[in-house]
Amino acid sequence: MADTDTGKERFATKWGLILSVLGIAVGTGNIWRFPRIAAENGGETGAGAFLIAWATFLFIWSIPLIIAEYGIGRNGRKGVIGSYIKMAGEQFAWLGAFVGFVATAIMFYYSVVAGWSLYYLVESIIAPLPQNVDEANMVWEGFQSSIMPSVFHAIMIGLGGLVILKGVKSIERMNKILIPSLLLVLVISLIKALTLEGSGAGIKYLFTPDWATLKEPKIWLEALTQNAWDTGAAWGLILTYGAYMRTKDDITISAFQTGIGNNLVSLTAAIIIFSTVFGTLGGDLTDSQVLDIMRDSGPASTGLTFMWMPQLFEVMVGGKFFAIIFFLGLTFAAFSSLISMIELATKVFVDMGVTRTKATVAVCSAGFVFGLPSAISLDFFANQDFVWGVGLMASGGLISFAVMKFGTEKFRTTLVNNEHSRFKLGKWWSFIVRYVIPVEVISLLTWWIYLSVTSFAPDTWYNPLSPFSVATVLLQWGIAIVLFKIYNRKIAKKTMLN
């Protein structure tokens, strides 16, 4: 392949597209975050009500936005900025740039998490598993106090860059290996987890609804946040892969396959972890004590995955093998998502006329440098996760805005329902994009401001140096937005010239 994008690069097969987009969607949000969030939002009798709220938002947040991203990307045939301009106009290039920057800022620290996963995979192969909390803490603290987080961060972003160098064909080939391998790992882990004595108690809790919890706004807001996290909707990543989508591929069917496939992986991961935790600890602890362990996020939300799972594998028959399998799956999930984040930023520079080689080297170098503070400091990591995780909500609103500028009905009838569509998208989608998603974005941002002022940083919410304050988010967002607004014309001109 030539060193620059010719505009004719496409995924070779529908299977390659779906696996690659599942590579975006299936990440640490499914395996690392989802089981803990489900446990945190479970009621007295179970977490089933949270699952209902979470599944609801798949259809009124994630899938509508995935449809929008596929359509914007395929129509624009450029990266996130170029395709956004084609939708909303050159005066809004800065909004497309902000969407792209949110995902890139997440990439900076996401590669650190990917590095943690790889380290624990290596650790599970070469070292004994920890036998108690103290030993697990020693492993974690020894790792964090060394240079290793930075080294593994560099390894993961470097490996991701090697995949991106060759363009979409390389992305497709890699995901055809990674995603089936990940699914195989999950199936093996699921079979093992279900054979554990006491695992049924975990599954029962996971799927039993505590209907009273549905009256709490927090459950719905947490469910929406989790769905945004684990499907990859509105990150701009699916938009980027959409630029390589074949014209004959059905956007609506692809979006439903992506969203439902992703959520099935999340449920599988939750069944594995609930079964393993209850099956291993249920004989010695009460259900409430087991749930307390699952809900304890630990430093930088590492509690369940990096602290408890290795200990649980240690007391399990064949635990060493299953620890390796578990962290192999987590590493594959993290790496496939990281690839898409690197490609998003690289594609933006390629659109501006930079060769793919130079763009990839620049993005990976910047990724390493700007990710170092998160690799070195868990406090900095937590701040970046807070700031740019909230940014995903704003991105959802901006994707919706671009579709409305183009014309929601025009988008549905011309870009989605083309002559190749086997499933015609109905007007329900237009209603969700025009009215429901803006309400969801405003509700989430209002809720987040309320929590920051009342819970996260009640005494320092106005201080930009406080890691969980309203002010730190507004300052970091503001710097990016002001710079993109100032250079809007230059960004637009550079992107659309090539």
Side-chain angles (χ1 to χ4, degrees), residues 47-172:
F50 172 78
L51 296 185
I52 291 168
W54 170 74
T56 300
F57 286 116
L58 174 65
F59 297 101
I60 62 172
W61 172 273
S62 294
I63 288 176
L65 284 171
I66 291 169
I67 290 170
E69 285 199 68
Y70 272 134
I72 294 170
R74 190 170 72 179
N75 177 63
R77 294 297 185 195
K78 285 183 176 286
V80 65
I81 298 176
S83 292
Y84 200 94
I85 289 171
K86 198 166 179 184
M87 274 290 114
E90 291 190 5
Q91 70 270 37
F92 295 111
W94 63 281
L95 292 180
F98 183 73
V99 172
F101 186 74
V102 169
T104 304
I106 290 172
M107 177 194 80
F108 295 153
Y109 67 84
Y110 194 91
S111 65
V112 174
V113 180
W116 295 350
S117 304
L118 181 60
Y119 173 81
Y120 269 77
L121 171 61
V122 173
E123 184 76 9
S124 63
I125 294 170
I126 65 173
L129 294 171
Q131 296 186 15
N132 51 51
V133 178
D134 290 338
E135 286 189 18
N137 277 323
M138 281 177 61
V139 173
W140 174 253
E141 288 167 7
F143 172 53
Q144 287 297 326
S145 62
S146 72
I147 198 175
M148 287 295 108
S150 301
V151 170
F152 279 86
H153 157 59
I155 290 169
M156 291 305 273
I157 208 155
L159 290 174
L162 290 176
V163 175
I164 297 304
L165 276 174
K166 300 287 180 66
V168 68
K169 289 181 174 61
S170 178
I171 293 169
E172 184 172 359

Side-chain angles (χ1 to χ4, degrees), residues 205-248:
Y205 181 85
L206 178 62
F207 287 103
T208 301
D210 186 337
W211 298 109
T213 59
L214 289 178
K215 297 175 185 175
E216 300 171 18
K218 179 179 179 290
I219 293 292
W220 293 92
L221 292 161
E222 287 281 7
L224 172 51
T225 305
Q226 178 58 35
N227 223 291
W229 253 105
D230 70 14
T231 58
W235 292 48
L237 303 171
I238 294 171
L239 187 161
T240 303
Y241 281 9
Y244 305 124
M245 190 180 194
R246 300 178 303 175
T247 304
K248 67 181 182 180

Side-chain angles (χ1 to χ4, degrees), residues 14 109 138 142 150 167 173-174 192 218 252 321 420 425:
K14 171 70 182 291
Y109 67 84
M138 281 177 61
S150 301
R173 278 197 300 267
M174 181 56 68
K192 173 61 179 178
K218 179 179 179 290
T252 305
F321 171 76
H420 300 289
L425 184 62

Side-chain angles (χ1 to χ4, degrees), residues 467-489:
F468 304 110
S469 66
V470 174
T472 190
V473 173
L474 296 181
L475 176 67
Q476 293 181 59
W477 284 15
I479 291 169
I481 288 168
V482 167
L483 287 173
F484 293 141
K485 192 78 172 75
I486 290 170
Y487 291 103
N488 183 82
R489 185 175 296 179

